[in-house]
Amino acid sequence: MNILCYGDSNTWGYVPNINGYSKDAIMQKYNDKDCWWYPLMQNNNVFINGLCGRCIAHENKWLKNRNALKTIYSDLQSYTDLDLIIVQLGTNDCKYEYQDSAQDITYNLELLLETIKKQTKANIVVISPAVIIENNKITQRYYIGAQKKSSELDSLFGKLCTEKGYQFISGKDLETGEDGEHLTKLSNNRLGYKVLTMVNELVNTREL
């Protein structure tokens, strides 16, 4: 099966780092075997397209091409014959600077998924963000109000998927590390189990 994992830094494999937004920050990446998508690679062709700072519908002031709604067409041109696309986005959209409500973020996700459907016949799985924890210098500066907002996204994303016929995996119960926004190694492991279980169920029910 050909699977695309499309998302942000949690898809890329970012190791939680409390100094992540400082000018001298060095991004640390998990080994592939510690990323949630690794178990899928045992029996599938898996492509990883995760970018730090990628939003569903906003530009990043420091990084280019991070607005998925604007780049999704060209992003998908790099892949052919996809059977499944796993979308893991929404965390960066919770940043205070964008002033989006949980409803705004969900609406933007709906637009993104509709755009994906027009370009491919692949099935779509949506992973909701982990709850952002406002307890450190990063989240208290960049993610004011995001704890409540990210928590609300879980039910809103789930409702959207039910209504539109997408598969949904909840990330609400996944813990974040010291920076309050990136998944721990344990959370990657738990998410990997959820994703692999769903993919196997889809295969067994012949939806793919």
PDB file of all heavy atoms in Angstrom, residues 83-87 109 112-118 120-127 161 165-168 198 202 208:
ATOM      1  N   ASP A  83      -2.779   5.250  -1.860  1.00  0.00           N
ATOM      2  CA  ASP A  83      -3.953   4.545  -1.347  1.00  0.00           C
ATOM      3  C   ASP A  83      -4.511   5.227  -0.107  1.00  0.00           C
ATOM      4  O   ASP A  83      -5.711   5.149   0.166  1.00  0.00           O
ATOM      5  CB  ASP A  83      -3.575   3.105  -0.983  1.00  0.00           C
ATOM      6  CG  ASP A  83      -3.061   2.332  -2.172  1.00  0.00           C
ATOM      7  OD1 ASP A  83      -3.829   2.132  -3.131  1.00  0.00           O
ATOM      8  OD2 ASP A  83      -1.873   1.936  -2.158  1.00  0.00           O
ATOM      9  N   LEU A  84      -3.625   5.879   0.655  1.00  0.00           N
ATOM     10  CA  LEU A  84      -4.031   6.466   1.931  1.00  0.00           C
ATOM     11  C   LEU A  84      -3.210   7.714   2.218  1.00  0.00           C
ATOM     12  O   LEU A  84      -1.993   7.723   1.998  1.00  0.00           O
ATOM     13  CB  LEU A  84      -3.821   5.440   3.058  1.00  0.00           C
ATOM     14  CG  LEU A  84      -4.264   5.840   4.470  1.00  0.00           C
ATOM     15  CD1 LEU A  84      -5.788   5.955   4.520  1.00  0.00           C
ATOM     16  CD2 LEU A  84      -3.783   4.809   5.490  1.00  0.00           C
ATOM     17  N   ILE A  85      -3.887   8.749   2.685  1.00  0.00           N
ATOM     18  CA  ILE A  85      -3.205   9.966   3.133  1.00  0.00           C
ATOM     19  C   ILE A  85      -3.578  10.207   4.589  1.00  0.00           C
ATOM     20  O   ILE A  85      -4.763  10.289   4.928  1.00  0.00           O
ATOM     21  CB  ILE A  85      -3.601  11.188   2.285  1.00  0.00           C
ATOM     22  CG1 ILE A  85      -3.214  10.969   0.822  1.00  0.00           C
ATOM     23  CG2 ILE A  85      -2.925  12.457   2.817  1.00  0.00           C
ATOM     24  CD1 ILE A  85      -3.679  12.075  -0.105  1.00  0.00           C
ATOM     25  N   ILE A  86      -2.572  10.282   5.442  1.00  0.00           N
ATOM     26  CA  ILE A  86      -2.791  10.545   6.873  1.00  0.00           C
ATOM     27  C   ILE A  86      -2.414  11.992   7.138  1.00  0.00           C
ATOM     28  O   ILE A  86      -1.266  12.395   6.932  1.00  0.00           O
ATOM     29  CB  ILE A  86      -1.948   9.594   7.736  1.00  0.00           C
ATOM     30  CG1 ILE A  86      -2.280   8.130   7.408  1.00  0.00           C
ATOM     31  CG2 ILE A  86      -2.195   9.876   9.223  1.00  0.00           C
ATOM     32  CD1 ILE A  86      -1.390   7.119   8.117  1.00  0.00           C
ATOM     33  N   VAL A  87      -3.377  12.782   7.586  1.00  0.00           N
ATOM     34  CA  VAL A  87      -3.181  14.219   7.799  1.00  0.00           C
ATOM     35  C   VAL A  87      -3.069  14.499   9.296  1.00  0.00           C
ATOM     36  O   VAL A  87      -3.985  14.205  10.066  1.00  0.00           O
ATOM     37  CB  VAL A  87      -4.343  15.030   7.200  1.00  0.00           C
ATOM     38  CG1 VAL A  87      -4.162  16.526   7.472  1.00  0.00           C
ATOM     39  CG2 VAL A  87      -4.456  14.769   5.700  1.00  0.00           C
ATOM     40  N   LEU A 109      -9.592  23.061   7.916  1.00  0.00           N
ATOM     41  CA  LEU A 109      -9.268  21.659   7.669  1.00  0.00           C
ATOM     42  C   LEU A 109     -10.240  21.057   6.655  1.00  0.00           C
ATOM     43  O   LEU A 109      -9.826  20.306   5.755  1.00  0.00           O
ATOM     44  CB  LEU A 109      -9.320  20.856   8.968  1.00  0.00           C
ATOM     45  CG  LEU A 109      -9.082  19.345   8.818  1.00  0.00           C
ATOM     46  CD1 LEU A 109      -7.653  19.064   8.339  1.00  0.00           C
ATOM     47  CD2 LEU A 109      -9.358  18.609  10.125  1.00  0.00           C
ATOM     48  N   LEU A 112      -9.160  22.020   3.273  1.00  0.00           N
ATOM     49  CA  LEU A 112      -7.961  21.285   2.877  1.00  0.00           C
ATOM     50  C   LEU A 112      -8.313  19.873   2.433  1.00  0.00           C
ATOM     51  O   LEU A 112      -7.831  19.392   1.394  1.00  0.00           O
ATOM     52  CB  LEU A 112      -6.958  21.242   4.032  1.00  0.00           C
ATOM     53  CG  LEU A 112      -5.667  20.459   3.765  1.00  0.00           C
ATOM     54  CD1 LEU A 112      -4.834  21.141   2.683  1.00  0.00           C
ATOM     55  CD2 LEU A 112      -4.847  20.317   5.052  1.00  0.00           C
ATOM     56  N   LEU A 113      -9.142  19.201   3.192  1.00  0.00           N
ATOM     57  CA  LEU A 113      -9.502  17.827   2.864  1.00  0.00           C
ATOM     58  C   LEU A 113     -10.301  17.761   1.562  1.00  0.00           C
ATOM     59  O   LEU A 113     -10.141  16.820   0.772  1.00  0.00           O
ATOM     60  CB  LEU A 113     -10.298  17.201   4.010  1.00  0.00           C
ATOM     61  CG  LEU A 113      -9.562  17.107   5.354  1.00  0.00           C
ATOM     62  CD1 LEU A 113     -10.475  16.507   6.416  1.00  0.00           C
ATOM     63  CD2 LEU A 113      -8.285  16.305   5.233  1.00  0.00           C
ATOM     64  N   GLU A 114     -11.152  18.753   1.335  1.00  0.00           N
ATOM     65  CA  GLU A 114     -11.898  18.803   0.073  1.00  0.00           C
ATOM     66  C   GLU A 114     -10.942  18.981  -1.111  1.00  0.00           C
ATOM     67  O   GLU A 114     -11.138  18.384  -2.174  1.00  0.00           O
ATOM     68  CB  GLU A 114     -12.914  19.944   0.108  1.00  0.00           C
ATOM     69  CG  GLU A 114     -14.092  19.685   1.031  1.00  0.00           C
ATOM     70  CD  GLU A 114     -15.025  20.876   1.128  1.00  0.00           C
ATOM     71  OE1 GLU A 114     -14.688  21.956   0.581  1.00  0.00           O
ATOM     72  OE2 GLU A 114     -16.092  20.737   1.753  1.00  0.00           O
ATOM     73  N   THR A 115      -9.899  19.785  -0.909  1.00  0.00           N
ATOM     74  CA  THR A 115      -8.899  19.987  -1.957  1.00  0.00           C
ATOM     75  C   THR A 115      -8.144  18.697  -2.236  1.00  0.00           C
ATOM     76  O   THR A 115      -7.865  18.351  -3.392  1.00  0.00           O
ATOM     77  CB  THR A 115      -7.908  21.092  -1.545  1.00  0.00           C
ATOM     78  OG1 THR A 115      -8.624  22.298  -1.276  1.00  0.00           O
ATOM     79  CG2 THR A 115      -6.901  21.358  -2.651  1.00  0.00           C
ATOM     80  N   ILE A 116      -7.809  17.963  -1.179  1.00  0.00           N
ATOM     81  CA  ILE A 116      -7.120  16.682  -1.342  1.00  0.00           C
ATOM     82  C   ILE A 116      -8.004  15.699  -2.118  1.00  0.00           C
ATOM     83  O   ILE A 116      -7.531  14.989  -3.018  1.00  0.00           O
ATOM     84  CB  ILE A 116      -6.734  16.105   0.035  1.00  0.00           C
ATOM     85  CG1 ILE A 116      -5.659  16.975   0.702  1.00  0.00           C
ATOM     86  CG2 ILE A 116      -6.242  14.660  -0.098  1.00  0.00           C
ATOM     87  CD1 ILE A 116      -5.322  16.564   2.122  1.00  0.00           C
ATOM     88  N   LYS A 117      -9.282  15.655  -1.779  1.00  0.00           N
ATOM     89  CA  LYS A 117     -10.200  14.725  -2.438  1.00  0.00           C
ATOM     90  C   LYS A 117     -10.305  14.992  -3.937  1.00  0.00           C
ATOM     91  O   LYS A 117     -10.509  14.064  -4.730  1.00  0.00           O
ATOM     92  CB  LYS A 117     -11.586  14.831  -1.808  1.00  0.00           C
ATOM     93  CG  LYS A 117     -11.758  14.066  -0.509  1.00  0.00           C
ATOM     94  CD  LYS A 117     -13.184  14.150   0.000  1.00  0.00           C
ATOM     95  CE  LYS A 117     -14.155  13.467  -0.947  1.00  0.00           C
ATOM     96  NZ  LYS A 117     -15.541  13.485  -0.435  1.00  0.00           N
ATOM     97  N   LYS A 118     -10.154  16.248  -4.332  1.00  0.00           N
ATOM     98  CA  LYS A 118     -10.250  16.597  -5.751  1.00  0.00           C
ATOM     99  C   LYS A 118      -9.022  16.136  -6.532  1.00  0.00           C
ATOM    100  O   LYS A 118      -9.065  16.024  -7.753  1.00  0.00           O
ATOM    101  CB  LYS A 118     -10.418  18.107  -5.898  1.00  0.00           C
ATOM    102  CG  LYS A 118     -11.757  18.633  -5.404  1.00  0.00           C
ATOM    103  CD  LYS A 118     -11.815  20.142  -5.508  1.00  0.00           C
ATOM    104  CE  LYS A 118     -13.145  20.680  -4.983  1.00  0.00           C
ATOM    105  NZ  LYS A 118     -13.202  22.174  -5.026  1.00  0.00           N
ATOM    106  N   THR A 120      -6.973  13.305  -5.583  1.00  0.00           N
ATOM    107  CA  THR A 120      -6.603  11.902  -5.423  1.00  0.00           C
ATOM    108  C   THR A 120      -7.807  11.075  -4.988  1.00  0.00           C
ATOM    109  O   THR A 120      -8.757  11.597  -4.398  1.00  0.00           O
ATOM    110  CB  THR A 120      -5.485  11.755  -4.369  1.00  0.00           C
ATOM    111  OG1 THR A 120      -5.211  10.373  -4.158  1.00  0.00           O
ATOM    112  CG2 THR A 120      -5.879  12.388  -3.043  1.00  0.00           C
ATOM    113  N   LYS A 121      -7.746   9.794  -5.285  1.00  0.00           N
ATOM    114  CA  LYS A 121      -8.791   8.868  -4.858  1.00  0.00           C
ATOM    115  C   LYS A 121      -8.424   8.179  -3.552  1.00  0.00           C
ATOM    116  O   LYS A 121      -9.144   7.293  -3.084  1.00  0.00           O
ATOM    117  CB  LYS A 121      -9.032   7.820  -5.943  1.00  0.00           C
ATOM    118  CG  LYS A 121      -9.577   8.405  -7.243  1.00  0.00           C
ATOM    119  CD  LYS A 121      -9.802   7.311  -8.282  1.00  0.00           C
ATOM    120  CE  LYS A 121     -10.350   7.900  -9.579  1.00  0.00           C
ATOM    121  NZ  LYS A 121     -10.570   6.846 -10.617  1.00  0.00           N
ATOM    122  N   ALA A 122      -7.320   8.588  -2.965  1.00  0.00           N
ATOM    123  CA  ALA A 122      -6.844   7.956  -1.734  1.00  0.00           C
ATOM    124  C   ALA A 122      -7.822   8.170  -0.579  1.00  0.00           C
ATOM    125  O   ALA A 122      -8.507   9.199  -0.503  1.00  0.00           O
ATOM    126  CB  ALA A 122      -5.484   8.522  -1.350  1.00  0.00           C
ATOM    127  N   ASN A 123      -7.899   7.187   0.298  1.00  0.00           N
ATOM    128  CA  ASN A 123      -8.637   7.356   1.540  1.00  0.00           C
ATOM    129  C   ASN A 123      -7.885   8.349   2.430  1.00  0.00           C
ATOM    130  O   ASN A 123      -6.661   8.487   2.321  1.00  0.00           O
ATOM    131  CB  ASN A 123      -8.772   6.020   2.270  1.00  0.00           C
ATOM    132  CG  ASN A 123      -9.843   5.135   1.667  1.00  0.00           C
ATOM    133  OD1 ASN A 123     -10.985   5.146   2.091  1.00  0.00           O
ATOM    134  ND2 ASN A 123      -9.473   4.362   0.653  1.00  0.00           N
ATOM    135  N   ILE A 124      -8.616   9.008   3.305  1.00  0.00           N
ATOM    136  CA  ILE A 124      -8.029  10.041   4.162  1.00  0.00           C
ATOM    137  C   ILE A 124      -8.261   9.705   5.631  1.00  0.00           C
ATOM    138  O   ILE A 124      -9.382   9.379   6.035  1.00  0.00           O
ATOM    139  CB  ILE A 124      -8.616  11.427   3.847  1.00  0.00           C
ATOM    140  CG1 ILE A 124      -8.316  11.822   2.400  1.00  0.00           C
ATOM    141  CG2 ILE A 124      -8.075  12.483   4.817  1.00  0.00           C
ATOM    142  CD1 ILE A 124      -9.005  13.106   1.954  1.00  0.00           C
ATOM    143  N   VAL A 125      -7.194   9.788   6.398  1.00  0.00           N
ATOM    144  CA  VAL A 125      -7.260   9.650   7.854  1.00  0.00           C
ATOM    145  C   VAL A 125      -6.799  10.965   8.474  1.00  0.00           C
ATOM    146  O   VAL A 125      -5.783  11.529   8.056  1.00  0.00           O
ATOM    147  CB  VAL A 125      -6.349   8.510   8.360  1.00  0.00           C
ATOM    148  CG1 VAL A 125      -6.337   8.467   9.890  1.00  0.00           C
ATOM    149  CG2 VAL A 125      -6.803   7.170   7.800  1.00  0.00           C
ATOM    150  N   VAL A 126      -7.536  11.458   9.450  1.00  0.00           N
ATOM    151  CA  VAL A 126      -7.182  12.692  10.157  1.00  0.00           C
ATOM    152  C   VAL A 126      -6.796  12.361  11.591  1.00  0.00           C
ATOM    153  O   VAL A 126      -7.518  11.644  12.287  1.00  0.00           O
ATOM    154  CB  VAL A 126      -8.356  13.688  10.162  1.00  0.00           C
ATOM    155  CG1 VAL A 126      -8.036  14.901  11.041  1.00  0.00           C
ATOM    156  CG2 VAL A 126      -8.679  14.136   8.740  1.00  0.00           C
ATOM    157  N   ILE A 127      -5.654  12.888  12.022  1.00  0.00           N
ATOM    158  CA  ILE A 127      -5.221  12.761  13.416  1.00  0.00           C
ATOM    159  C   ILE A 127      -5.383  14.116  14.083  1.00  0.00           C
ATOM    160  O   ILE A 127      -4.830  15.115  13.617  1.00  0.00           O
ATOM    161  CB  ILE A 127      -3.748  12.330  13.512  1.00  0.00           C
ATOM    162  CG1 ILE A 127      -3.513  11.000  12.795  1.00  0.00           C
ATOM    163  CG2 ILE A 127      -3.309  12.224  14.980  1.00  0.00           C
ATOM    164  CD1 ILE A 127      -2.049  10.598  12.714  1.00  0.00           C
ATOM    165  N   CYS A 161     -15.040  14.482  10.449  1.00  0.00           N
ATOM    166  CA  CYS A 161     -14.714  13.224   9.780  1.00  0.00           C
ATOM    167  C   CYS A 161     -15.932  12.312   9.680  1.00  0.00           C
ATOM    168  O   CYS A 161     -16.144  11.649   8.651  1.00  0.00           O
ATOM    169  CB  CYS A 161     -13.580  12.518  10.508  1.00  0.00           C
ATOM    170  SG  CYS A 161     -11.986  13.358  10.328  1.00  0.00           S
ATOM    171  N   GLY A 165     -17.125  11.431   6.012  1.00  0.00           N
ATOM    172  CA  GLY A 165     -16.699  10.102   5.626  1.00  0.00           C
ATOM    173  C   GLY A 165     -15.201   9.858   5.675  1.00  0.00           C
ATOM    174  O   GLY A 165     -14.690   8.937   5.015  1.00  0.00           O
ATOM    175  N   TYR A 166     -14.479  10.641   6.469  1.00  0.00           N
ATOM    176  CA  TYR A 166     -13.046  10.419   6.653  1.00  0.00           C
ATOM    177  C   TYR A 166     -12.828   9.565   7.889  1.00  0.00           C
ATOM    178  O   TYR A 166     -13.662   9.528   8.801  1.00  0.00           O
ATOM    179  CB  TYR A 166     -12.298  11.747   6.824  1.00  0.00           C
ATOM    180  CG  TYR A 166     -12.550  12.758   5.740  1.00  0.00           C
ATOM    181  CD1 TYR A 166     -13.103  14.002   6.029  1.00  0.00           C
ATOM    182  CD2 TYR A 166     -12.228  12.494   4.415  1.00  0.00           C
ATOM    183  CE1 TYR A 166     -13.334  14.945   5.036  1.00  0.00           C
ATOM    184  CE2 TYR A 166     -12.452  13.428   3.411  1.00  0.00           C
ATOM    185  CZ  TYR A 166     -13.011  14.650   3.728  1.00  0.00           C
ATOM    186  OH  TYR A 166     -13.237  15.572   2.747  1.00  0.00           O
ATOM    187  N   GLN A 167     -11.695   8.902   7.949  1.00  0.00           N
ATOM    188  CA  GLN A 167     -11.323   8.166   9.151  1.00  0.00           C
ATOM    189  C   GLN A 167     -10.701   9.142  10.155  1.00  0.00           C
ATOM    190  O   GLN A 167     -10.052  10.112   9.769  1.00  0.00           O
ATOM    191  CB  GLN A 167     -10.328   7.054   8.819  1.00  0.00           C
ATOM    192  CG  GLN A 167     -10.849   6.033   7.822  1.00  0.00           C
ATOM    193  CD  GLN A 167     -12.051   5.271   8.327  1.00  0.00           C
ATOM    194  OE1 GLN A 167     -12.127   4.913   9.509  1.00  0.00           O
ATOM    195  NE2 GLN A 167     -13.006   5.018   7.443  1.00  0.00           N
ATOM    196  N   PHE A 168     -10.897   8.867  11.437  1.00  0.00           N
ATOM    197  CA  PHE A 168     -10.421   9.786  12.474  1.00  0.00           C
ATOM    198  C   PHE A 168      -9.694   9.043  13.576  1.00  0.00           C
ATOM    199  O   PHE A 168     -10.130   7.986  14.036  1.00  0.00           O
ATOM    200  CB  PHE A 168     -11.608  10.542  13.078  1.00  0.00           C
ATOM    201  CG  PHE A 168     -11.252  11.417  14.247  1.00  0.00           C
ATOM    202  CD1 PHE A 168     -10.524  12.583  14.053  1.00  0.00           C
ATOM    203  CD2 PHE A 168     -11.615  11.067  15.541  1.00  0.00           C
ATOM    204  CE1 PHE A 168     -10.186  13.401  15.121  1.00  0.00           C
ATOM    205  CE2 PHE A 168     -11.281  11.872  16.618  1.00  0.00           C
ATOM    206  CZ  PHE A 168     -10.563  13.046  16.400  1.00  0.00           C
ATOM    207  N   MET A 198      -5.755   0.982  12.842  1.00  0.00           N
ATOM    208  CA  MET A 198      -6.769   1.470  11.910  1.00  0.00           C
ATOM    209  C   MET A 198      -6.455   1.038  10.480  1.00  0.00           C
ATOM    210  O   MET A 198      -7.347   0.613   9.742  1.00  0.00           O
ATOM    211  CB  MET A 198      -6.884   2.995  11.963  1.00  0.00           C
ATOM    212  CG  MET A 198      -7.783   3.571  10.873  1.00  0.00           C
ATOM    213  SD  MET A 198      -8.208   5.299  11.111  1.00  0.00           S
ATOM    214  CE  MET A 198      -9.439   5.160  12.410  1.00  0.00           C
ATOM    215  N   LEU A 202      -8.791  -1.190   8.002  1.00  0.00           N
ATOM    216  CA  LEU A 202      -9.225  -0.750   6.680  1.00  0.00           C
ATOM    217  C   LEU A 202      -8.899  -1.797   5.623  1.00  0.00           C
ATOM    218  O   LEU A 202      -9.693  -2.069   4.722  1.00  0.00           O
ATOM    219  CB  LEU A 202      -8.559   0.579   6.322  1.00  0.00           C
ATOM    220  CG  LEU A 202      -9.020   1.808   7.101  1.00  0.00           C
ATOM    221  CD1 LEU A 202      -8.148   3.018   6.767  1.00  0.00           C
ATOM    222  CD2 LEU A 202     -10.483   2.116   6.810  1.00  0.00           C
ATOM    223  N   LEU A 208      -9.476  -0.345   1.348  1.00  0.00           N
ATOM    224  CA  LEU A 208      -8.312   0.117   0.609  1.00  0.00           C
ATOM    225  C   LEU A 208      -7.980  -0.878  -0.512  1.00  0.00           C
ATOM    226  O   LEU A 208      -8.211  -2.060  -0.342  1.00  0.00           O
ATOM    227  CB  LEU A 208      -7.116   0.269   1.551  1.00  0.00           C
ATOM    228  CG  LEU A 208      -7.217   1.393   2.574  1.00  0.00           C
ATOM    229  CD1 LEU A 208      -6.023   1.338   3.504  1.00  0.00           C
ATOM    230  CD2 LEU A 208      -7.272   2.741   1.888  1.00  0.00           C
TER     231      LEU A 208
END
